[in-house]
Amino acid sequence: MTTLPRPTTELSADEARRIALRAQGLLGAPDRRAGVRGVLRHLGAVQLDTISVLARSHELIPYARLGAVGRRTVEEAYWKQGDQPAHTFEYWSHAACILPVEEWPHFAFRRRAYRARPHWNHELPDGVYDQVVKQLRTEGPLTVTELGGAKRTSEWWDWSGTKVAVERALMYGEVVCVERRGWKRVYDLAERAVPPALLTEEPSDEECLRRLVGLAGRALGVGTRADIADYHRLKGEQVEAVIADSGLVPVTVEDWSKPAWADPEALATPPRGRHRTTLLSPFDSLIWERARTERIFGFTHRLEAYVPKPKRVHGYFAMPVLAGGRLVGRVDPAREGRTLVAKQVTVDGPKAVPQVAQALVEAAGWVGCTDVRVERVDAPELREPLTAELARLLG
């Protein structure tokens, strides 16, 4: 095991929280000139998910940091436009994520691991892989439907040979997803979509891991080994092997029971600035890791979309409310025409009512709603103050 230097910096729990918020772009003035692509480069990864309530999660991430950025602007920033080189690629990181294209070489370790896998859940019929690659070379970019169909039957898991082939080519790095069209992946050959200088770069596994551990540490500001590993879904031993050479420095944090590492630049500048008040996607990288969220914010976060309805506590897509650098409530939203419906609201006491109302009104305006309706508040005595504050803000 690598011998690590002793921590020389001690952080209070409050300092660690503020460092984490700034590292995630939620404390201080946002870099509006860099826009959505700047947010992506800053975070290193933006998670994709099929659920769309107010908007899809990859739209909610820049909204939380930049405010009411146009949704078309978000899509154009992420996906390849015409014959221009790609700025991003989609790959397996924390989950399925949009990643800055300059990090393409540093996922070579994962592409090699996929190629070496002895077992796959889906069988690949002979000749189909080569046929898919040939078709993309001749006709691409194409969706899997255009390639020949995604499924053999109506069962979600019963992939066609074409779907198996193109997804395996994506994992191997021979194919990339250049955009989402109607939420379907659009595939093209990596040799066309990825800039040549990046496509031919093949760093070692150790170099890849060192880079990703360093990026995770900078995106988190400060974190435990488990926090850092979770960011790009690395193994603990992979982090352990390279963290001493990652550029991160060991620190101790008040009330954290495990060793931590921090970005030295985050330590050099006191984390000050304006706090965002916003609804967060349940898939926001600020709250990816449940244990970290509880440790930093004293807030238990769980996505309940996949929990049976009778067992849900906070709602299908409960979105944490960030205000003043704290998580002060939850909102389970829906839309009915031009009304944002707060199906269920949790508010952390009377002082948080104006903050939750502000977050609701701003989100409503962003998605083109002109009204907000509250259906249920977990603390019934806060329902009237909340609806009164919403009425005041909506004018």
Side-chain angles (χ1 to χ4, degrees):
M1 183 179 292
T2 305
T3 301
L4 298 173
R6 292 177 61 84
T8 57
T9 300
E10 297 182 5
L11 299 173
S12 69
D14 187 66
E15 286 172 326
R17 177 182 58 82
R18 293 173 66 85
I19 286 172
L21 285 163
R22 186 177 62 185
Q24 281 286 299
L26 292 160
L27 172 61
D31 184 357
R32 298 194 182 282
R33 288 180 298 177
V36 177
R37 287 180 188 158
V39 169
L40 175 60
R41 285 193 299 272
H42 189 79
L43 298 178
V46 167
Q47 186 173 345
L48 292 157
D49 193 80
T50 58
I51 298 173
S52 181
V53 180
L54 286 185
R56 294 202 189 273
S57 186
H58 66 280
E59 299 173 285
L60 292 165
I61 305 306
Y63 164 73
R65 289 149 178 86
L66 301 174
V69 59
R71 296 173 69 182
R72 184 184 181 96
T73 300
V74 173
E75 295 298 326
E76 290 177 349
Y78 284 145
W79 306 120
K80 188 175 185 294
Q81 303 297 315
D83 295 329
Q84 297 181 3
H87 293 276
T88 69
F89 69 107
E90 179 185 331
Y91 203 59
W92 297 103
S93 166
H94 179 81
C97 288
I98 303 172
L99 303 160
V101 75
E102 55 264 31
E103 300 307 329
W104 170 271
H106 301 111
F107 284 84
F109 84 102
R110 191 157 279 163
R111 294 191 289 270
R112 288 191 288 261
Y114 283 138
R115 285 180 177 273
R117 280 178 64 172
H119 172 73
W120 293 87
N121 292 327
H122 297 279
E123 292 185 6
L124 180 60
D126 290 342
V128 177
Y129 187 99
D130 291 340
Q131 175 58 39
V132 164
V133 172
K134 180 180 178 181
Q135 191 174 347
L136 285 172
R137 179 166 282 115
T138 304
E139 306 174 28
L142 301 170
T143 66
V144 72
T145 301
E146 292 165 338
L147 282 165
K151 299 175 186 176
R152 293 182 297 184
T153 68
S154 60
E155 300 292 343
W156 68 267
W157 47 264
D158 195 17
W159 285 7
S160 69
T162 299
K163 173 70 171 175
V164 175
V166 77
E167 287 295 320
R168 201 170 293 189
L170 179 78
M171 296 164 84
Y172 290 171
E174 192 164 1
V175 160
V176 295
C177 172
V178 292
E179 68 171 302
R180 290 272 187 157
R181 188 187 302 154
W183 201 242
K184 293 180 179 179
R185 283 177 172 151
V186 179
Y187 304 91
D188 200 2
L189 298 181
E191 64 195 51
R192 276 201 293 253
V194 179
L198 297 173
L199 189 66
T200 56
E201 193 177 336
E202 278 285 323
S204 67
D205 284 11
E206 182 179 347
E207 290 172 313
C208 293
L209 293 170
R210 188 164 54 240
R211 170 68 174 176
L212 293 180
V213 165
L215 287 175
R218 283 187 278 282
L220 293 169
V222 58
T224 65
R225 185 184 72 171
D227 297 342
I228 292 166
D230 181 70
Y231 205 83
H232 291 294
R233 292 283 164 86
L234 306 177
K235 297 176 182 177
E237 58 267 29
Q238 291 176 316
V239 175
E240 192 75 29
V242 300
I243 197 164
D245 300 317
S246 66
L248 306 178
V249 297
V251 297
T252 58
V253 181
E254 177 190 11
D255 296 331
W256 289 22
S257 61
K258 295 184 178 180
W261 288 263
D263 173 17
E265 291 186 16
L267 298 177
T269 309
R272 301 190 185 101
R274 177 177 173 270
H275 286 288
R276 282 284 293 147
T277 297
T278 187
L279 298 180
L280 293 175
S281 164
F283 301 107
D284 195 294
S285 50
L286 179 70
I287 51 175
W288 267 345
E289 218 278 317
R290 285 173 61 182
R292 173 180 172 85
T293 303
E294 291 182 14
R295 189 187 330 123
I296 292 179
F297 296 104
F299 188 92
T300 302
H301 162 65
R302 181 187 184 193
L303 176 68
E304 297 181 335
Y306 308 113
V307 174
K309 190 173 182 179
K311 295 185 178 181
R312 290 175 192 155
V313 177
H314 299 291
Y316 175 79
F317 196 73
M319 301 178 69
V321 181
L322 178 71
R326 310 274 181 181
L327 297 176
V328 300
R330 293 177 175 85
V331 173
D332 184 32
R335 292 173 65 184
E336 293 182 4
R338 301 197 68 187
T339 298
L340 190 159
V341 181
K343 296 167 66 178
Q344 184 172 336
V345 181
T346 305
V347 185
D348 188 16
K351 290 183 179 179
V353 165
Q355 298 167 324
V356 172
Q358 180 185 340
L360 279 167
V361 169
E362 289 186 3
W366 176 55
V367 297
C369 291
T370 56
D371 194 17
V372 177
R373 186 177 80 243
V374 176
E375 290 191 344
R376 179 181 169 215
V377 180
D378 284 6
E381 70 276 11
L382 297 180
R383 179 185 176 85
E384 186 175 338
L386 178 60
T387 53
E389 182 64 16
L390 287 169
R392 187 186 71 81
L393 292 173
L394 291 166

